[in-house]
Structures are given as structure tokens and as C-alpha cells.
Amino acid sequence: MIVVMQQGATTKQVERVVQLIREMNLTDHVIVGAERTVVAVIGDDRFKDRSVLESCAGVDRVVPILAPYKIASRQTHPETTVIPIGGRHGATVGGRKLCVLAGPCSVEDKSMLLEVAHGVKQAGGSGLRGGAFKPRTSPYQFQGLGEKGLEILAEAREQTGLAVVSEVMGAEHIDLVARYADVLQVGTRNMHNFNLLAALGERTNKPILLKRGWSATLEEFLLAAEYVINAGNPNVILCERGIRTFEGYVRNTLPLAIVPAVQRESHLPIVVDPSHGTGHAYLVPAMARAAVAAGADGLIIEVHPDPEHALTDGAQSVTIPDFEQIMRQVRQVAEAVDRQI
Ligand code: PEP
Ligand code: MN
């Protein structure tokens, strides 16, 4: 970081800043300019408390240079991380080949899940999504089938070879979900649940699909990933799923610029969820194409055989034929940006 002193700051004030920097076991380098003095701080200062210097007399501002996340940062790991997601087809995320995860919002029963699973497989998807534990706004809404839903997902993997993605809502369910699913999803509401993130890092090596909190900044998103990696699991797949804004014609606003921004900041793969990102099935194909054009490493799309009767998120779920068409279109976009499906 760089400490910029106020114009007219006294020598005593500069000395106090230097003393505090040394107390942090960092090295100072004082540069006296014509207008004002700045103090460059040398050493790894990203875990130090900047506010100590900010509140010092004579300090104008403190400018951080290093990102606060370390192991998630591309500075420490220049190559994009490629993560195998499981299943029998060798699917990965982060490489040249895109990873398309698709399936219903919730596992509702065996026949609908198997129908979607075969549809996803047929269309060339890489993995099957399906919630067994559902984070619902109201306690009176369908909460998911729990372990029964996980059993159905495992059967769908057995039949299709697709990797299975399912949400884990609390640390008490990590072992249970990890027993059945290949990829554990952390939902938007849990991105700030630091106990869950750390527990996932400690208790499993399976990939974690970490959804961006709907009000989280890019920095907070990457720090959430840092929690998982720092606790021992390097296999974090980031997922942009839209954020809350003033805009009402969509359920969430899908900020696709985060894709190249994350790729500049971090080596972790990032997939885009155009279903939650818009809330409307008619917007999903265009945003899926746009996400791939923006360089996303994959997509996660809600697909339902009969969206009108879906127990959760029917309005944003596409049908199986719609999904097939999305795959055809996205394949062409992928080629145009030097990727494959
Ligand atoms: C989901 O994937 O169905 C889901 C609940 O997602 P989010 O956490 O992004 O709302
Ligand atoms: Mn959903």
C-alpha cells in the first residue's frame, strides 16, 4: 500500500506513520515530493489493518496495491485452474472446453429428473443440476426432497454418466451431500456464510460451485472463494447468478462484465447462470450466448420437462427442446471465441 500524506503534513506526523509501518513488520520508503510526502509500504501488507494508518494525523489516504485475496488471485497462480467435475465423461471446467450444467431447479420426483437427465445428456451437457435442499424465501414453500432427492440424482448419474451438482445449505449436510453429489453448490444466500465455506474447505475435496451473493462485490466474492481454498479445498468454481438492482423487468441483473474482470483477477474458472440471472425463460438463450461470448468457462441452466408445473423456478426454466436449441447456438458462439463444447 501507499500512504499519501496531506499537504502540509508535519515531519512528526510522517515519522509516526513510519513507526506504525515498522510495528507491522513492514518496511517503509518515504518519498518527499514538491507538494506532498508519500510513504510506500514494502512487504506483504494484505492482511494488515489499513485503518490504523488511515486514521493517523496528517494522512490523506491509503491506497492498497495488492488484492486482499491471495490464493484465489492470478498474481500467485498465472494459469487458469482446470477442475474435473466428476461423472463418467471426464468433464472439466476451466479449460478450452466449456462446461454446461443443466437440470431442474429442484429434484421433484424420479421420472421428471430422469427425463431431464437424458435430455441434458443427449444435448451434450457436461453435468446435471438439481436441488435436493432448497433455500426458499418462505417456510411454507417446497423445501426439497432431501436425501431422497440425492438418491434420485445418483441414479441419474448411474444412467447417464453425467456429473451431479446439488446445493448444500448447512455444514451439517456436507457429508450427506458429498456422499451423492460430484459438485457441491453454495447458493447466493450462503456466500457470506463463512463457517460453511471453511467447513467445505476442510471436509471435502469435491468441487464447490460458489454462487455470487446477490449483493456481493467482486472482491467479496473472491474472498469467499479464498475461505474455501484457505481451509484446504482448491477446487472452487465461481458462478455469476445475477445481483439485485433497482431494475424490475428481470428477477436479477446479470452483470456479464464480471467474467473478464474475474478472469483478470483470479485463476478460478467462472460459469454463468442465465436462469437466476434473468428470472425469465425467454431471456435465457440470449444471455447464455452472451455469457459464452464474454468468455465464461461454462453455464448452469435450469431445464424442466413441464415448466408451467414446476415446483420451483418454473418461470425461468427452459424446456428440453429449448435447451437443445440453446446448446446448438452456444456451440457456434463458443467456436467464434476459440472454445468448444
Ligand atoms: C438454484 O440454483 O436453484 C438457486 C437456489 O440458486 P441461487 O442460490 O443462485 O438463488
Ligand atoms: Mn432455482
Side-chain angles (χ1 to χ4, degrees), residues 75-109:
Q75 286 168 350
T76 54
H77 191 301
E79 294 298 311
T80 300
T81 292
V82 180
I83 301 176
I85 62 162
R88 286 200 299 274
H89 307 298
T92 59
V93 58
R96 185 154 180 265
K97 217 164 148 54
L98 298 184
C99 174
V100 181
L101 309 167
C105 178
S106 312
V107 181
E108 296 173 6
D109 60 58

PDB file of all heavy atoms in Angstrom, residues 75-109:
ATOM      1  N   GLN A  75      -2.291 -13.355  -9.466  1.00  0.00           N
ATOM      2  CA  GLN A  75      -0.901 -12.946  -9.207  1.00  0.00           C
ATOM      3  C   GLN A  75      -0.079 -14.119  -8.674  1.00  0.00           C
ATOM      4  O   GLN A  75       1.100 -14.235  -8.957  1.00  0.00           O
ATOM      5  CB  GLN A  75      -0.860 -11.818  -8.159  1.00  0.00           C
ATOM      6  CG  GLN A  75      -1.306 -10.475  -8.712  1.00  0.00           C
ATOM      7  CD  GLN A  75      -1.548  -9.442  -7.611  1.00  0.00           C
ATOM      8  OE1 GLN A  75      -1.570  -9.762  -6.419  1.00  0.00           O
ATOM      9  NE2 GLN A  75      -1.734  -8.207  -8.020  1.00  0.00           N
ATOM     10  N   THR A  76      -0.733 -14.984  -7.891  1.00  0.00           N
ATOM     11  CA  THR A  76       0.020 -16.086  -7.292  1.00  0.00           C
ATOM     12  C   THR A  76      -0.114 -17.374  -8.105  1.00  0.00           C
ATOM     13  O   THR A  76       0.474 -18.390  -7.757  1.00  0.00           O
ATOM     14  CB  THR A  76      -0.476 -16.374  -5.859  1.00  0.00           C
ATOM     15  OG1 THR A  76      -1.885 -16.589  -5.922  1.00  0.00           O
ATOM     16  CG2 THR A  76      -0.182 -15.229  -4.925  1.00  0.00           C
ATOM     17  N   HIS A  77      -0.932 -17.365  -9.169  1.00  0.00           N
ATOM     18  CA  HIS A  77      -1.216 -18.588  -9.924  1.00  0.00           C
ATOM     19  C   HIS A  77      -1.629 -18.156 -11.336  1.00  0.00           C
ATOM     20  O   HIS A  77      -2.818 -18.046 -11.642  1.00  0.00           O
ATOM     21  CB  HIS A  77      -2.368 -19.314  -9.198  1.00  0.00           C
ATOM     22  CG  HIS A  77      -2.632 -20.702  -9.680  1.00  0.00           C
ATOM     23  ND1 HIS A  77      -2.974 -20.992 -10.988  1.00  0.00           N
ATOM     24  CD2 HIS A  77      -2.628 -21.884  -9.030  1.00  0.00           C
ATOM     25  CE1 HIS A  77      -3.171 -22.291 -11.101  1.00  0.00           C
ATOM     26  NE2 HIS A  77      -2.965 -22.859  -9.929  1.00  0.00           N
ATOM     27  N   PRO A  78      -0.666 -17.894 -12.212  1.00  0.00           N
ATOM     28  CA  PRO A  78      -0.974 -17.291 -13.519  1.00  0.00           C
ATOM     29  C   PRO A  78      -1.861 -18.141 -14.438  1.00  0.00           C
ATOM     30  O   PRO A  78      -2.633 -17.591 -15.209  1.00  0.00           O
ATOM     31  CB  PRO A  78       0.401 -17.078 -14.153  1.00  0.00           C
ATOM     32  CG  PRO A  78       1.378 -17.166 -13.038  1.00  0.00           C
ATOM     33  CD  PRO A  78       0.775 -18.035 -11.991  1.00  0.00           C
ATOM     34  N   GLU A  79      -1.766 -19.482 -14.344  1.00  0.00           N
ATOM     35  CA  GLU A  79      -2.568 -20.341 -15.236  1.00  0.00           C
ATOM     36  C   GLU A  79      -3.980 -20.510 -14.705  1.00  0.00           C
ATOM     37  O   GLU A  79      -4.172 -20.711 -13.506  1.00  0.00           O
ATOM     38  CB  GLU A  79      -1.940 -21.750 -15.312  1.00  0.00           C
ATOM     39  CG  GLU A  79      -0.574 -21.793 -15.969  1.00  0.00           C
ATOM     40  CD  GLU A  79      -0.628 -21.341 -17.417  1.00  0.00           C
ATOM     41  OE1 GLU A  79      -1.504 -21.852 -18.152  1.00  0.00           O
ATOM     42  OE2 GLU A  79       0.173 -20.469 -17.806  1.00  0.00           O
ATOM     43  N   THR A  80      -4.971 -20.514 -15.593  1.00  0.00           N
ATOM     44  CA  THR A  80      -6.356 -20.777 -15.160  1.00  0.00           C
ATOM     45  C   THR A  80      -6.444 -22.203 -14.622  1.00  0.00           C
ATOM     46  O   THR A  80      -5.899 -23.135 -15.205  1.00  0.00           O
ATOM     47  CB  THR A  80      -7.320 -20.619 -16.354  1.00  0.00           C
ATOM     48  OG1 THR A  80      -7.205 -19.288 -16.833  1.00  0.00           O
ATOM     49  CG2 THR A  80      -8.761 -20.875 -15.946  1.00  0.00           C
ATOM     50  N   THR A  81      -7.113 -22.367 -13.515  1.00  0.00           N
ATOM     51  CA  THR A  81      -7.261 -23.683 -12.912  1.00  0.00           C
ATOM     52  C   THR A  81      -8.312 -24.493 -13.671  1.00  0.00           C
ATOM     53  O   THR A  81      -9.393 -23.989 -13.964  1.00  0.00           O
ATOM     54  CB  THR A  81      -7.674 -23.521 -11.435  1.00  0.00           C
ATOM     55  OG1 THR A  81      -6.574 -22.954 -10.746  1.00  0.00           O
ATOM     56  CG2 THR A  81      -8.030 -24.836 -10.782  1.00  0.00           C
ATOM     57  N   VAL A  82      -7.967 -25.727 -13.986  1.00  0.00           N
ATOM     58  CA  VAL A  82      -8.903 -26.622 -14.668  1.00  0.00           C
ATOM     59  C   VAL A  82      -9.367 -27.653 -13.640  1.00  0.00           C
ATOM     60  O   VAL A  82      -8.547 -28.317 -13.009  1.00  0.00           O
ATOM     61  CB  VAL A  82      -8.231 -27.326 -15.876  1.00  0.00           C
ATOM     62  CG1 VAL A  82      -9.210 -28.257 -16.570  1.00  0.00           C
ATOM     63  CG2 VAL A  82      -7.679 -26.297 -16.854  1.00  0.00           C
ATOM     64  N   ILE A  83     -10.671 -27.738 -13.441  1.00  0.00           N
ATOM     65  CA  ILE A  83     -11.208 -28.605 -12.383  1.00  0.00           C
ATOM     66  C   ILE A  83     -12.038 -29.736 -12.990  1.00  0.00           C
ATOM     67  O   ILE A  83     -13.038 -29.472 -13.666  1.00  0.00           O
ATOM     68  CB  ILE A  83     -12.070 -27.770 -11.402  1.00  0.00           C
ATOM     69  CG1 ILE A  83     -11.221 -26.649 -10.789  1.00  0.00           C
ATOM     70  CG2 ILE A  83     -12.686 -28.657 -10.325  1.00  0.00           C
ATOM     71  CD1 ILE A  83     -11.999 -25.715  -9.878  1.00  0.00           C
ATOM     72  N   PRO A  84     -11.667 -30.987 -12.753  1.00  0.00           N
ATOM     73  CA  PRO A  84     -12.509 -32.108 -13.182  1.00  0.00           C
ATOM     74  C   PRO A  84     -13.773 -32.120 -12.322  1.00  0.00           C
ATOM     75  O   PRO A  84     -13.688 -31.950 -11.103  1.00  0.00           O
ATOM     76  CB  PRO A  84     -11.657 -33.352 -12.893  1.00  0.00           C
ATOM     77  CG  PRO A  84     -10.282 -32.834 -12.555  1.00  0.00           C
ATOM     78  CD  PRO A  84     -10.445 -31.428 -12.065  1.00  0.00           C
ATOM     79  N   ILE A  85     -14.940 -32.292 -12.964  1.00  0.00           N
ATOM     80  CA  ILE A  85     -16.173 -32.201 -12.169  1.00  0.00           C
ATOM     81  C   ILE A  85     -16.778 -33.559 -11.811  1.00  0.00           C
ATOM     82  O   ILE A  85     -17.797 -33.609 -11.134  1.00  0.00           O
ATOM     83  CB  ILE A  85     -17.238 -31.310 -12.856  1.00  0.00           C
ATOM     84  CG1 ILE A  85     -17.665 -31.887 -14.208  1.00  0.00           C
ATOM     85  CG2 ILE A  85     -16.755 -29.872 -12.994  1.00  0.00           C
ATOM     86  CD1 ILE A  85     -18.979 -31.311 -14.718  1.00  0.00           C
ATOM     87  N   GLY A  86     -16.156 -34.650 -12.260  1.00  0.00           N
ATOM     88  CA  GLY A  86     -16.689 -35.973 -11.917  1.00  0.00           C
ATOM     89  C   GLY A  86     -17.585 -36.519 -13.013  1.00  0.00           C
ATOM     90  O   GLY A  86     -17.624 -35.986 -14.122  1.00  0.00           O
ATOM     91  N   GLY A  87     -18.302 -37.577 -12.695  1.00  0.00           N
ATOM     92  CA  GLY A  87     -19.108 -38.255 -13.713  1.00  0.00           C
ATOM     93  C   GLY A  87     -18.215 -39.157 -14.561  1.00  0.00           C
ATOM     94  O   GLY A  87     -17.017 -39.259 -14.316  1.00  0.00           O
ATOM     95  N   ARG A  88     -18.829 -39.813 -15.572  1.00  0.00           N
ATOM     96  CA  ARG A  88     -18.053 -40.793 -16.344  1.00  0.00           C
ATOM     97  C   ARG A  88     -17.473 -40.233 -17.643  1.00  0.00           C
ATOM     98  O   ARG A  88     -16.835 -40.958 -18.387  1.00  0.00           O
ATOM     99  CB  ARG A  88     -18.960 -41.983 -16.715  1.00  0.00           C
ATOM    100  CG  ARG A  88     -19.282 -42.907 -15.556  1.00  0.00           C
ATOM    101  CD  ARG A  88     -19.740 -44.271 -16.048  1.00  0.00           C
ATOM    102  NE  ARG A  88     -20.947 -44.212 -16.866  1.00  0.00           N
ATOM    103  CZ  ARG A  88     -22.193 -44.225 -16.376  1.00  0.00           C
ATOM    104  NH1 ARG A  88     -22.394 -44.295 -15.075  1.00  0.00           N
ATOM    105  NH2 ARG A  88     -23.241 -44.185 -17.195  1.00  0.00           N
ATOM    106  N   HIS A  89     -17.709 -38.938 -17.931  1.00  0.00           N
ATOM    107  CA  HIS A  89     -17.301 -38.442 -19.245  1.00  0.00           C
ATOM    108  C   HIS A  89     -16.071 -37.544 -19.208  1.00  0.00           C
ATOM    109  O   HIS A  89     -15.746 -36.906 -20.199  1.00  0.00           O
ATOM    110  CB  HIS A  89     -18.469 -37.711 -19.924  1.00  0.00           C
ATOM    111  CG  HIS A  89     -19.715 -38.542 -19.968  1.00  0.00           C
ATOM    112  ND1 HIS A  89     -19.766 -39.752 -20.646  1.00  0.00           N
ATOM    113  CD2 HIS A  89     -20.932 -38.376 -19.403  1.00  0.00           C
ATOM    114  CE1 HIS A  89     -20.980 -40.271 -20.499  1.00  0.00           C
ATOM    115  NE2 HIS A  89     -21.705 -39.457 -19.743  1.00  0.00           N
ATOM    116  N   GLY A  90     -15.400 -37.506 -18.077  1.00  0.00           N
ATOM    117  CA  GLY A  90     -14.165 -36.713 -17.989  1.00  0.00           C
ATOM    118  C   GLY A  90     -14.397 -35.218 -18.135  1.00  0.00           C
ATOM    119  O   GLY A  90     -13.502 -34.489 -18.587  1.00  0.00           O
ATOM    120  N   ALA A  91     -15.580 -34.732 -17.779  1.00  0.00           N
ATOM    121  CA  ALA A  91     -15.871 -33.292 -17.944  1.00  0.00           C
ATOM    122  C   ALA A  91     -15.012 -32.463 -16.991  1.00  0.00           C
ATOM    123  O   ALA A  91     -14.725 -32.867 -15.860  1.00  0.00           O
ATOM    124  CB  ALA A  91     -17.349 -33.026 -17.680  1.00  0.00           C
ATOM    125  N   THR A  92     -14.610 -31.294 -17.481  1.00  0.00           N
ATOM    126  CA  THR A  92     -13.824 -30.369 -16.667  1.00  0.00           C
ATOM    127  C   THR A  92     -14.383 -28.964 -16.843  1.00  0.00           C
ATOM    128  O   THR A  92     -15.163 -28.714 -17.758  1.00  0.00           O
ATOM    129  CB  THR A  92     -12.341 -30.328 -17.128  1.00  0.00           C
ATOM    130  OG1 THR A  92     -12.316 -29.927 -18.502  1.00  0.00           O
ATOM    131  CG2 THR A  92     -11.645 -31.662 -16.972  1.00  0.00           C
ATOM    132  N   VAL A  93     -13.951 -28.061 -15.977  1.00  0.00           N
ATOM    133  CA  VAL A  93     -14.311 -26.650 -16.146  1.00  0.00           C
ATOM    134  C   VAL A  93     -13.040 -25.819 -16.000  1.00  0.00           C
ATOM    135  O   VAL A  93     -12.226 -26.088 -15.119  1.00  0.00           O
ATOM    136  CB  VAL A  93     -15.441 -26.218 -15.169  1.00  0.00           C
ATOM    137  CG1 VAL A  93     -15.061 -26.438 -13.714  1.00  0.00           C
ATOM    138  CG2 VAL A  93     -15.841 -24.775 -15.393  1.00  0.00           C
ATOM    139  N   GLY A  94     -12.876 -24.862 -16.907  1.00  0.00           N
ATOM    140  CA  GLY A  94     -11.686 -24.001 -16.855  1.00  0.00           C
ATOM    141  C   GLY A  94     -10.763 -24.181 -18.045  1.00  0.00           C
ATOM    142  O   GLY A  94      -9.898 -23.356 -18.289  1.00  0.00           O
ATOM    143  N   GLY A  95     -10.968 -25.264 -18.797  1.00  0.00           N
ATOM    144  CA  GLY A  95     -10.126 -25.492 -19.977  1.00  0.00           C
ATOM    145  C   GLY A  95     -10.787 -24.907 -21.216  1.00  0.00           C
ATOM    146  O   GLY A  95     -11.749 -24.132 -21.132  1.00  0.00           O
ATOM    147  N   ARG A  96     -10.313 -25.326 -22.384  1.00  0.00           N
ATOM    148  CA  ARG A  96     -10.855 -24.798 -23.640  1.00  0.00           C
ATOM    149  C   ARG A  96     -12.305 -25.255 -23.832  1.00  0.00           C
ATOM    150  O   ARG A  96     -13.133 -24.548 -24.397  1.00  0.00           O
ATOM    151  CB  ARG A  96      -9.968 -25.297 -24.788  1.00  0.00           C
ATOM    152  CG  ARG A  96     -10.340 -24.731 -26.102  1.00  0.00           C
ATOM    153  CD  ARG A  96      -9.179 -24.685 -27.081  1.00  0.00           C
ATOM    154  NE  ARG A  96      -9.674 -24.123 -28.325  1.00  0.00           N
ATOM    155  CZ  ARG A  96     -10.098 -24.869 -29.349  1.00  0.00           C
ATOM    156  NH1 ARG A  96     -10.019 -26.183 -29.299  1.00  0.00           N
ATOM    157  NH2 ARG A  96     -10.583 -24.277 -30.422  1.00  0.00           N
ATOM    158  N   LYS A  97     -12.597 -26.448 -23.309  1.00  0.00           N
ATOM    159  CA  LYS A  97     -13.941 -26.994 -23.446  1.00  0.00           C
ATOM    160  C   LYS A  97     -14.869 -26.376 -22.394  1.00  0.00           C
ATOM    161  O   LYS A  97     -14.526 -26.342 -21.214  1.00  0.00           O
ATOM    162  CB  LYS A  97     -13.853 -28.511 -23.221  1.00  0.00           C
ATOM    163  CG  LYS A  97     -14.769 -29.312 -24.101  1.00  0.00           C
ATOM    164  CD  LYS A  97     -14.337 -30.775 -24.081  1.00  0.00           C
ATOM    165  CE  LYS A  97     -15.472 -31.720 -24.224  1.00  0.00           C
ATOM    166  NZ  LYS A  97     -16.380 -31.679 -25.259  1.00  0.00           N
ATOM    167  N   LEU A  98     -16.010 -25.919 -22.836  1.00  0.00           N
ATOM    168  CA  LEU A  98     -16.957 -25.310 -21.895  1.00  0.00           C
ATOM    169  C   LEU A  98     -17.696 -26.384 -21.102  1.00  0.00           C
ATOM    170  O   LEU A  98     -17.896 -27.499 -21.570  1.00  0.00           O
ATOM    171  CB  LEU A  98     -17.975 -24.463 -22.644  1.00  0.00           C
ATOM    172  CG  LEU A  98     -17.434 -23.278 -23.422  1.00  0.00           C
ATOM    173  CD1 LEU A  98     -18.568 -22.478 -24.019  1.00  0.00           C
ATOM    174  CD2 LEU A  98     -16.598 -22.387 -22.516  1.00  0.00           C
ATOM    175  N   CYS A  99     -18.129 -26.008 -19.913  1.00  0.00           N
ATOM    176  CA  CYS A  99     -18.833 -26.929 -19.029  1.00  0.00           C
ATOM    177  C   CYS A  99     -20.284 -26.450 -18.922  1.00  0.00           C
ATOM    178  O   CYS A  99     -20.534 -25.356 -18.421  1.00  0.00           O
ATOM    179  CB  CYS A  99     -18.148 -26.876 -17.668  1.00  0.00           C
ATOM    180  SG  CYS A  99     -18.970 -27.815 -16.402  1.00  0.00           S
ATOM    181  N   VAL A 100     -21.222 -27.255 -19.412  1.00  0.00           N
ATOM    182  CA  VAL A 100     -22.627 -26.844 -19.329  1.00  0.00           C
ATOM    183  C   VAL A 100     -23.361 -27.758 -18.339  1.00  0.00           C
ATOM    184  O   VAL A 100     -23.490 -28.967 -18.560  1.00  0.00           O
ATOM    185  CB  VAL A 100     -23.327 -26.866 -20.704  1.00  0.00           C
ATOM    186  CG1 VAL A 100     -24.780 -26.404 -20.565  1.00  0.00           C
ATOM    187  CG2 VAL A 100     -22.583 -25.983 -21.696  1.00  0.00           C
ATOM    188  N   LEU A 101     -23.794 -27.161 -17.248  1.00  0.00           N
ATOM    189  CA  LEU A 101     -24.532 -27.877 -16.211  1.00  0.00           C
ATOM    190  C   LEU A 101     -26.003 -27.512 -16.411  1.00  0.00           C
ATOM    191  O   LEU A 101     -26.325 -26.342 -16.587  1.00  0.00           O
ATOM    192  CB  LEU A 101     -24.055 -27.429 -14.835  1.00  0.00           C
ATOM    193  CG  LEU A 101     -22.533 -27.478 -14.642  1.00  0.00           C
ATOM    194  CD1 LEU A 101     -22.117 -26.734 -13.379  1.00  0.00           C
ATOM    195  CD2 LEU A 101     -22.061 -28.930 -14.589  1.00  0.00           C
ATOM    196  N   ALA A 102     -26.877 -28.501 -16.394  1.00  0.00           N
ATOM    197  CA  ALA A 102     -28.285 -28.195 -16.640  1.00  0.00           C
ATOM    198  C   ALA A 102     -29.167 -29.189 -15.908  1.00  0.00           C
ATOM    199  O   ALA A 102     -28.755 -30.318 -15.619  1.00  0.00           O
ATOM    200  CB  ALA A 102     -28.575 -28.235 -18.142  1.00  0.00           C
ATOM    201  N   GLY A 103     -30.379 -28.743 -15.605  1.00  0.00           N
ATOM    202  CA  GLY A 103     -31.320 -29.616 -14.905  1.00  0.00           C
ATOM    203  C   GLY A 103     -32.329 -28.766 -14.176  1.00  0.00           C
ATOM    204  O   GLY A 103     -32.271 -27.531 -14.215  1.00  0.00           O
ATOM    205  N   PRO A 104     -33.245 -29.409 -13.492  1.00  0.00           N
ATOM    206  CA  PRO A 104     -34.299 -28.644 -12.822  1.00  0.00           C
ATOM    207  C   PRO A 104     -33.775 -27.869 -11.622  1.00  0.00           C
ATOM    208  O   PRO A 104     -32.737 -28.209 -11.060  1.00  0.00           O
ATOM    209  CB  PRO A 104     -35.273 -29.737 -12.369  1.00  0.00           C
ATOM    210  CG  PRO A 104     -34.425 -30.943 -12.192  1.00  0.00           C
ATOM    211  CD  PRO A 104     -33.354 -30.856 -13.242  1.00  0.00           C
ATOM    212  N   CYS A 105     -34.525 -26.849 -11.248  1.00  0.00           N
ATOM    213  CA  CYS A 105     -34.187 -26.122 -10.021  1.00  0.00           C
ATOM    214  C   CYS A 105     -34.180 -27.120  -8.866  1.00  0.00           C
ATOM    215  O   CYS A 105     -33.208 -27.224  -8.142  1.00  0.00           O
ATOM    216  CB  CYS A 105     -35.226 -25.023  -9.797  1.00  0.00           C
ATOM    217  SG  CYS A 105     -34.942 -24.096  -8.292  1.00  0.00           S
ATOM    218  N   SER A 106     -35.284 -27.885  -8.741  1.00  0.00           N
ATOM    219  CA  SER A 106     -35.392 -28.879  -7.658  1.00  0.00           C
ATOM    220  C   SER A 106     -35.611 -30.267  -8.248  1.00  0.00           C
ATOM    221  O   SER A 106     -36.285 -30.402  -9.267  1.00  0.00           O
ATOM    222  CB  SER A 106     -36.630 -28.628  -6.796  1.00  0.00           C
ATOM    223  OG  SER A 106     -36.737 -27.296  -6.435  1.00  0.00           O
ATOM    224  N   VAL A 107     -35.109 -31.258  -7.550  1.00  0.00           N
ATOM    225  CA  VAL A 107     -35.490 -32.636  -7.866  1.00  0.00           C
ATOM    226  C   VAL A 107     -36.906 -32.808  -7.320  1.00  0.00           C
ATOM    227  O   VAL A 107     -37.124 -32.658  -6.113  1.00  0.00           O
ATOM    228  CB  VAL A 107     -34.545 -33.648  -7.184  1.00  0.00           C
ATOM    229  CG1 VAL A 107     -34.939 -35.070  -7.550  1.00  0.00           C
ATOM    230  CG2 VAL A 107     -33.095 -33.368  -7.535  1.00  0.00           C
ATOM    231  N   GLU A 108     -37.872 -33.088  -8.210  1.00  0.00           N
ATOM    232  CA  GLU A 108     -39.272 -33.185  -7.765  1.00  0.00           C
ATOM    233  C   GLU A 108     -39.709 -34.643  -7.616  1.00  0.00           C
ATOM    234  O   GLU A 108     -40.420 -34.994  -6.686  1.00  0.00           O
ATOM    235  CB  GLU A 108     -40.175 -32.458  -8.760  1.00  0.00           C
ATOM    236  CG  GLU A 108     -39.863 -30.959  -8.813  1.00  0.00           C
ATOM    237  CD  GLU A 108     -40.617 -30.233  -9.917  1.00  0.00           C
ATOM    238  OE1 GLU A 108     -41.475 -30.856 -10.582  1.00  0.00           O
ATOM    239  OE2 GLU A 108     -40.341 -29.038 -10.116  1.00  0.00           O
ATOM    240  N   ASP A 109     -39.319 -35.453  -8.558  1.00  0.00           N
ATOM    241  CA  ASP A 109     -39.557 -36.897  -8.472  1.00  0.00           C
ATOM    242  C   ASP A 109     -38.635 -37.587  -9.467  1.00  0.00           C
ATOM    243  O   ASP A 109     -37.956 -36.938 -10.256  1.00  0.00           O
ATOM    244  CB  ASP A 109     -41.028 -37.258  -8.733  1.00  0.00           C
ATOM    245  CG  ASP A 109     -41.488 -36.812 -10.106  1.00  0.00           C
ATOM    246  OD1 ASP A 109     -40.870 -37.231 -11.098  1.00  0.00           O
ATOM    247  OD2 ASP A 109     -42.458 -36.032 -10.180  1.00  0.00           O
TER     248      ASP A 109
END
